[in-house]
């Protein structure tokens, strides 16, 4: 048999301009050869400076590298410097992005402390004014970005398009011998609005390296189509995300599907999972999902991975499920401390398996793994460390003993 090597699938690389999103000495590079960044957004009332700062901290601790906050009123603009001060006191230096619609030109002009405290401005070209006011008010926001050396994301949304541009493209399309479908014109309007606005910002003096673009829609196939074309037409850093992914499983699957396809093609420099939280669910869930997408693609590592079998008729006990969850929760909870204490620990692979079929093999492939006994198997759990069987655990305290073994391994390897 002639065995031919099979190429390992790796994401494509797209050469984009690299932007700097900074707060003080803390700099997050976006685009170029920087890793794909995770972004999130608060859902607090920004006027509540303490409540907003607390949620920003929670998102940052969960792994969000950029956090966007709504700035929609004079009171919200006045609160922004206080949010920044509170975060700095908590030693949370994550850059803040101001989300502006309709009145951003006034808020950035009238409240310079707000403009300075933000690290990036998000501008929606469809919501900066109509007619003669459009370019003037857009220009005021760009001027603020230039004055305070801030990055700008020009974010076009399916639901808030520049209606004058859309109408113009629709009229031009109607005159074609064979008009395109309305959806195709909408795609073109999204891309044209983003790219033309970026070129206008450049003519106003904003460095191209400080411009990021997004064209958000709510359908998976629409997002893929729009971003593939957008990537062909510019080399700005791109922000990915469905504008409204939805709730729970639906939102998770839709986001993972769309973002994974584009990221595998080298498209996307920051991502956000716009997940609607379940009642009582933490806002941080969207950060966890975004990080898991990047980790599943092998593009980044955020937390040690825990491999666990799904269970079958051989695993009637829930011991392996409980242990896998316990280990996973523990590793995630420790990461904010371990990032600095144990460099590289995010690449750790742990296996918690439930029977003899795949248990020993999967455990050997992990850095550290345990193969628990299935139904009818001998009450013994071999532990594998770095591919070799290290010991066998027995008795009622297997879970606690394995927990300690994992801690000892981390200390020895990464300490």
């Amino acid at each position: 048999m002639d065995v031919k090597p099979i190429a390992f699938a790796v994401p494509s690389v797209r050469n984009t301009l690299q932007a700097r999103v900074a707060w003080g000495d803390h700099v997050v590079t976006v685009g170029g050869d920087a890793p794909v960044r995770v972004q999130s957004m608060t859902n607090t009332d920004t006027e509540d400076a303490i409540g907003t700062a607390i949620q920003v901290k929670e998102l940052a601790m969960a792994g969000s590298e950029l956090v966007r906050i709504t700035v929609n009123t004079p009171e919200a603009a006045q609160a922004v410097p206080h949010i920044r001060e509170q975060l700095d006191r908590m030693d949370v230096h994550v850059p803040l992005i101001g989300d502006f619609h309709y009145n951003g030109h006034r808020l950035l002009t009238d409240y310079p402390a707000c403009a300075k405290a933000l690290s990036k401005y998000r501008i929606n070209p469809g919501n900066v004014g109509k007619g003669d006011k459009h370019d003037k008010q857009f220009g005021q926001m760009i001027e603020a970005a230039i004055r305070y050396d801030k990055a700008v994301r020009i974010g076009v949304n399916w639901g808030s398009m520049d209606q004058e541009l859309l109408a113009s493209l629709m009229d031009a399309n109607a005159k074609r011998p064979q008009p395109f479908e309305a959806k195709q014109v909408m795609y073109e309007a999204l891309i044209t609005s983003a790219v033309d606005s970026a070129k206008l910002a450049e003519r106003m003096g904003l460095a191209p390296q400080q411009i990021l673009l997004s064209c958000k829609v709510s359908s998976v196939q629409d997002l893929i189509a729009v971003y593939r074309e957008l990537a062909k037409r510019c080399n700005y850093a791109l922000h990915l995300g469905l504008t409204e992914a939805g709730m729970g499983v639906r939102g998770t699957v839709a986001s993972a599907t769309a973002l994974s396809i584009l990221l595998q093609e080298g498209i996307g420099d920051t991502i956000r999972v716009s997940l609607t939280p379940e009642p009582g669910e933490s806002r941080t869930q969207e950060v966890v999902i975004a990080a898991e997408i990047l980790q599943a693609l092998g593009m980044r590592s955020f937390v040690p991975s825990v491999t666990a079998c799904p269970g079958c008729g051989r695993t009637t006990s829930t011991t392996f499920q409980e242990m896998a969850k316990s280990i996973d929760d523990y590793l995630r909870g420790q990461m904010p401390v371990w990032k600095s204490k144990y460099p590289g620990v995010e690449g750790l692979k742990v296996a918690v398996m439930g029977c003899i079929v795949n248990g020993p093999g999967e455990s050997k492939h992990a850095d550290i793994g345990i193969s628990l006994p299935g139904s009818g198997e001998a009450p013994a759990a071999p532990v594998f460390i770095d591919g070799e069987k290290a010991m066998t655990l027995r008795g009622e305290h297997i879970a606690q003993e394995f927990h300690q073994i994992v801690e000892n391994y981390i200390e020895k390897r990464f300490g």
Side-chain angles (χ1 to χ4, degrees):
M1 179 180 176
D2 184 19
V3 179
K4 296 182 180 179
I6 298 173
F8 180 72
V10 294
S12 299
V13 177
R14 177 172 167 266
N15 186 28
T16 57
L17 298 171
Q18 187 171 90
R20 295 173 71 259
V21 185
W23 177 249
D25 295 331
H26 183 77
V27 179
V28 176
T29 52
V30 177
D33 59 358
V36 177
R37 302 296 187 179
V38 172
Q39 182 175 309
S40 59
M41 185 175 185
T42 60
N43 62 357
T44 55
D45 183 347
T46 307
E47 295 177 22
D48 175 8
I50 298 299
T52 301
I54 290 172
Q55 190 174 83
V56 170
K57 179 181 179 180
E58 291 171 352
L59 293 167
M61 295 292 282
S64 186
E65 295 160 294
L66 302 159
V67 178
R68 183 156 51 114
I69 61 176
T70 297
V71 187
N72 57 336
T73 64
E75 291 77 15
Q78 289 174 312
V80 170
H82 299 296
I83 295 169
R84 183 71 269 173
E85 290 168 7
Q86 183 66 31
L87 289 169
D88 290 343
R89 282 197 292 270
M90 294 189 291
D91 202 29
V92 177
H93 305 299
V94 62
L96 294 177
I97 303 165
D99 190 53
F100 295 99
H101 296 271
Y102 310 112
N103 60 353
H105 60 290
R106 290 201 304 269
L107 297 178
L108 286 171
T109 302
D110 295 346
Y111 300 95
C114 168
K116 293 176 185 177
L118 294 168
S119 299
K120 186 169 80 168
Y121 310 151
R122 185 281 174 112
I123 304 173
N124 183 343
N127 290 338
V128 297
K130 300 182 184 302
D132 296 338
K133 293 181 179 179
H134 181 280
D135 288 2
K136 178 183 177 182
Q137 294 176 178
F138 179 81
Q140 287 178 267
M141 302 179 76
I142 297 301
E143 287 171 8
I146 295 170
R147 183 180 307 119
Y148 302 115
D149 190 24
K150 306 297 181 179
V152 170
R153 172 160 70 94
I154 296 172
V156 183
N157 261 21
W158 185 270
S160 52
M161 275 293 304
D162 181 334
Q163 294 302 308
E164 293 176 356
L165 171 62
L166 180 59
S168 173
L169 291 175
M170 286 290 190
D171 289 343
N173 185 58
K175 295 174 184 177
R176 291 176 55 86
Q178 293 181 316
F180 296 120
E181 294 181 6
K183 181 175 281 190
Q184 293 295 325
V185 181
M186 180 69 82
Y187 289 170
E188 183 62 37
L190 284 163
I191 296 166
T192 298
S193 178
V195 174
D196 285 0
S197 296
K199 296 302 181 185
L200 177 58
E202 282 194 55
R203 291 196 296 273
M204 291 174 172
L206 186 64
Q209 292 85 354
Q210 289 301 89
I211 299 173
L212 298 89
L213 297 187
S214 66
C215 290
K216 287 193 172 184
V217 296
S218 54
S219 162
V220 169
Q221 294 293 357
D222 290 331
L223 191 82
I224 294 168
V226 167
Y227 271 88
R228 280 174 172 166
E229 184 61 26
L230 179 61
K232 292 177 184 177
R233 298 197 197 178
C234 72
N235 64 343
Y236 300 112
L238 301 181
H239 173 72
L240 296 186
L242 293 165
T243 187
E244 295 100 10
M247 296 182 70
V249 173
R250 181 190 179 282
T252 300
V253 171
S255 293
T257 302
L259 270 57
S260 294
I261 290 171
L262 291 168
L263 290 167
Q264 187 70 14
E265 295 177 7
I267 300 171
D269 300 285
T270 64
I271 63 170
R272 184 194 170 202
V273 174
S274 300
L275 198 66
T276 305
E278 300 281 358
E281 184 180 51
S282 171
R283 186 70 166 179
T284 59
Q285 186 64 13
E286 69 174 48
V287 179
V288 173
I289 293 168
E292 287 292 345
I293 290 171
L294 293 175
Q295 189 148 333
L297 288 169
M299 299 181 75
R300 295 190 66 182
S301 293
F302 293 89
V303 296
S305 62
V306 178
T307 300
C309 63
C312 65
R314 290 175 175 270
T315 56
T316 54
S317 168
T318 61
T319 302
F320 79 95
Q321 297 167 313
E322 294 162 357
M323 186 185 296
K325 185 177 187 308
S326 172
I327 291 292
D328 191 58
D329 289 347
Y330 173 73
L331 295 175
R332 287 184 184 279
Q334 293 299 311
M335 277 310 294
V337 175
W338 285 355
K339 281 180 183 178
S340 57
K341 186 177 180 181
Y342 299 125
V345 70
E346 64 274 6
L348 178 71
K349 292 180 173 59
V350 181
V352 180
M353 304 300 292
C355 79
I356 199 171
V357 174
N358 289 325
E362 287 284 359
S363 296
K364 288 178 182 177
H365 287 306
D367 295 309
I368 180 167
I370 186 170
S371 178
L372 294 164
S375 302
E377 295 177 11
V383 174
F384 296 83
I385 297 177
D386 295 329
E388 301 291 335
K389 183 178 176 182
M391 65 197 73
T392 299
L393 302 181
R394 293 181 174 84
E396 299 178 358
H397 304 293
I398 288 177
Q400 295 92 323
E401 290 176 22
F402 183 66
H403 203 294
Q404 187 61 52
I405 292 169
V406 171
E407 288 187 24
N408 293 342
Y409 179 85
I410 291 171
E411 173 64 37
K412 181 179 179 181
R413 178 175 170 183
F414 301 101

